[in-house]
Amino acid sequence: MLEKANLCIDVGNTSIKSALYDPNERGIAYISRYRDASELITPIQAAGRVYLSNVGKEDVTLLIQSICADNNVQLFIAETQKSAFGLTNSYSTPSNMGVDRWLAMLACMQKSQSKTFLVVDIGTAMTVDAVQNGVHLGGWIVPGLSLLKQSLFKNTQRVFGSEENFGLTDFGKDTPLCVDHGCTAQILGTLLMAEREMKKNVKKFEIFLTGGDKKLFLNLDVKNIIQCENLVLEGLTLFVD
Ligand SMILES: Nc1ncnc2c1ncn2[C@@H]1O[C@H](COP(=O)(O)OP(=O)(O)OP(=O)(O)O)[C@@H](O)[C@H]1O
Ligand SMILES: CC(C)(CO)[C@@H](O)C(=O)NCCC(=O)O
Ligand SMILES: [K+]
């Protein structure tokens, strides 16, 4: 009998990503991106089991629950835990931590030999989480690139620009370039500061980088950055049995 596929779904604040996962193959297959949860109906109908991470609207969970129920598809909804797979959370209320951060750390626990690393996820928000010997030291949450720019455009009279991003940090000579390059510098600067903060605790660590805007870091002169397509989806695969 042919096993039906495992569909992993990562619901963020801007978009939804999904991938099929076959435990007999290495890693996750091609990642699809959706704007609207209704686009999930067809892929869910074709799946045997669904594994969900949602930090976005609760409505999306409700919709996925009803699609799964209508089609007799089993659904697993991931939640942030106090500890799992050798990782210990630092939050006194673990459920307050976005499950995307937790899953990304769990994925890195599998990849890191020393279990000592930074994980940086750059999407709508940018998150940084520090782990030493499997213990979460804590993290940061800051606005992502698009939110940084929008907050400037919204709260000033004379600052303007576009959503377009060039991934550069040289000094700008007009308003849009001052905004774009400056906000890029703020994002890259967050990683540099995180590295500095981590070095107060540990000498050697990996930096795992994920999220839709990870290419911003392409030209950053930081060693041991490991780019990962989607650590949240990878973390979900740990729950596939
Ligand atoms: N194919 C794509 N379509 C849309 N945006 C993309 C694409 N590839 C990369 N991006 C970038 O990804 C960013 C969003 O990142 P991501 O998908 O990680 O965010 P998200 O859906 O809000 O997830 P999260 O809430 O987990 O951060 C956008 O700002 C955009 O620049
Ligand atoms: C910070 C985001 C938005 C990043 O996707 C998500 O992880 C989230 O909603 N977190 C809740 C707050 C927290 O993690 O402490
Ligand atoms: K994110």
Side-chain angles (χ1 to χ4, degrees):
M1 255 271 293
L2 208 62
E3 278 273 322
K4 272 203 158 186
N6 301 301
L7 181 70
C8 297
I9 303 176
D10 164 19
V11 181
N13 280 292
T14 310
S15 54
I16 299 172
K17 285 130 286 182
S18 80
L20 291 171
Y21 173 68
D22 177 352
N24 302 314
E25 309 257 321
R26 287 209 311 145
I28 45 178
Y30 174 79
I31 297 170
S32 311
R33 188 183 272 270
Y34 314 95
R35 269 264 142 198
D36 195 89
S38 62
E39 295 171 76
L40 288 167
I41 295 175
T42 311
I44 291 176
Q45 282 172 337
R49 284 209 179 107
V50 168
Y51 297 81
L52 174 65
S53 161
N54 184 4
V55 296
K57 290 200 178 77
E58 181 60 22
D59 284 5
V60 176
T61 295
L62 297 176
L63 179 65
I64 291 172
Q65 273 173 329
S66 83
I67 304 171
C68 286
D70 290 349
N71 294 281
N72 252 320
V73 172
Q74 277 184 50
L75 174 63
F76 168 82
I77 301 174
E79 282 171 20
T80 306
Q81 298 150 285
K82 180 94 209 105
S83 68
F85 300 102
L87 176 68
T88 307
N89 204 323
S90 72
Y91 271 37
S92 57
T93 311
S95 59
N96 284 348
M97 176 190 280
V99 70
D100 56 345
R101 296 172 60 194
W102 179 247
L103 291 168
M105 285 190 275
L106 288 182
C108 294
M109 284 292 288
Q110 307 294 311
K111 295 172 187 285
S112 170
Q113 206 144 51
S114 61
K115 316 292 179 207
T116 301
F117 53 85
L118 284 175
V119 49
V120 177
D121 187 339
I122 172 82
T124 310
M126 174 179 186
T127 57
V128 175
D129 282 289
V131 172
Q132 182 178 18
N133 299 322
V135 177
H136 183 230
L137 300 176
W140 290 340
I141 303 169
V142 299
L145 188 63
S146 171
L147 286 184
L148 282 177
K149 287 180 163 188
Q150 281 169 35
S151 74
L152 274 172
F153 300 150
K154 207 174 137 206
N155 296 291
T156 56
Q157 288 303 311
R158 292 162 47 93
V159 181
F160 67 95
S162 77
E163 274 290 304
E164 202 181 353
N165 175 249
F166 301 102
L168 301 171
T169 54
D170 52 296
F171 298 125
K173 290 191 175 71
D174 60 31
T175 308
L177 288 183
C178 286
V179 171
D180 181 61
H181 293 196
C183 290
T184 301
Q186 201 164 338
I187 295 284
L188 302 189
T190 302
L191 188 144
L192 296 177
M193 282 303 291
E195 203 191 15
R196 191 164 124 175
E197 199 61 34
M198 187 71 166
K199 280 181 179 160
K200 291 180 184 170
N201 301 287
V202 269
K203 266 213 202 101
K204 219 170 157 269
F205 55 91
E206 295 130 314
I207 303 174
F208 295 98
L209 182 61
T210 196
D213 278 330
K214 60 183 169 305
K215 63 186 175 301
L216 283 179
F217 295 81
L218 222 61
N219 300 318
L220 195 64
D221 186 26
V222 173
K223 282 187 214 96
N224 44 333
I225 291 191
I226 302 159
Q227 291 233 13
C228 303
E229 199 45 48
N230 187 316
L231 288 171
V232 180
L233 292 173
E234 280 191 58
L236 278 175
T237 69
L238 295 171
F239 295 89
V240 175
D241 46 36

